[in-house]
C-alpha cells in the first residue's frame, strides 16, 4: 500500500494471484467432490425409452479424446428377477469387482459359471460386453435401458454406461458400455 492507503500495482497483482490460486483450489475440490458423489450413481433419461437396442456403439479406433467432463457412471443397474435374491446379490458383487477392474472378463465368466454350478442353476449362455465405446449427444440423451433389464428371460442381466469425461470432435459424450447377460 502506498501512503494514502491505496494498493500499489504490486499489491494488486498479489491480490489477483491469491484470488486465482484460491479459485483454482476451490474448482479442484469441487471437481473431486462431484466425482466422489457421482461414483456408482444411477442417472438415466427416458429420452429413448422406446429403443431397447444400443444405438451408440462404435469402433474403438474412432474414439478421440477432447474436452473433459466429470467421470461417472451414467447408468448402473442389474436385474435378476427370475432367480433367488442370493444369486442376484452375488452377481452384483461380481459386477462391482469387474467394473472396478478387479476382475477381467475371462475371470468373471469363470466365476459366474462356478457360482451358478454350485447353486444348481443351469446356464445356457453368458454374453459379455466390456468397455465398448459408444457416443451420445449428451448425458440427458442416454437411452433408458430399464426395458431391456425388465425382460424376464434372463437369469441375470447387468448394464452399465460409464463416461471417463471425454467428448468427441463434435462435442458428443464418449462412454463405455458394459453388459453381462446370463441366460
Amino acid at each position: 500500500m502506498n501512503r494514502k492507503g491505496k494498493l500499489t500495482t504490486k499489491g494488486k497483482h498479489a491480490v489477483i494471484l491469491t484470488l486465482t490460486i484460491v479459485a483454482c483450489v476451490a474448482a479442484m475440490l469441487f471437481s473431486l467432490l462431484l466425482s466422489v458423489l457421482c461414483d456408482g450413481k444411477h442417472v438415466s433419461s427416458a429420452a429413448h425409452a422406446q429403443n431397447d437396442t444400443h444405438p451408440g456403439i462404435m469402433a474403438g479406433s474412432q474414439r478421440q479424446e477432447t474436452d473433459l467432463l466429470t467421470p461417472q457412471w451414467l447408468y448402473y443397474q442389474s436385474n435378476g428377477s427370475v432367480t433367488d435374491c442370493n444369486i442376484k446379490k452375488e452377481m452384483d458383487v461380481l459386477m462391482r469387482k469387474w467394473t472396478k477392474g478387479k476382475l477381467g472378463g475371462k475371470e468373471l465368466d469363470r466365476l459366474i459359471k462356478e457360482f451358478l454350478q454350485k447353486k444348481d442353476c443351469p446356464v445356457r449362455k453368458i454374453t459379455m460386453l466390456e468397455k465398448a465405446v459408444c457416443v451420445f449427444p449428451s448425458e440427458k440423451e442416454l437411452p433408458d435401458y430399464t426395458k431391456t433389464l425388465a425382460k424376464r428371460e434372463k437369469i441375470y442381466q447387468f448394464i452399465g454406461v460409464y463416461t471417463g469425461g471425454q467428448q468427441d470432435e463434435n462435442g458428443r459424450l464418449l462412454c463405455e458400455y458394459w453388459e453381462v447377460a446370463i441366460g
Side-chain angles (χ1 to χ4, degrees), residues 21 41 50 53 55 60 70 75 80-81 107 126 144 146 166 176:
I21 291 171
K41 299 291 185 193
Q50 71 279 3
T53 61
T70 303
Y75 191 90
S81 58
E107 189 176 5
I126 298 175
D144 184 4
T146 307
Q166 294 84 25
E176 296 173 351

Side-chain angles (χ1 to χ4, degrees), residues 1 8 24 34 39-40 43 73 86 91 96-97 108 115 121 123 135 139 143 156-157 163:
M1 286 196 178
T8 62
C24 288
L34 278 178
D39 188 31
V43 179
W73 285 99
N86 292 326
M91 291 299 110
R96 279 192 297 279
K97 288 179 180 178
L108 176 65
F115 177 77
C121 187
V123 177
V135 287
E139 177 184 331
Y156 177 86
Q157 188 166 5
T163 178

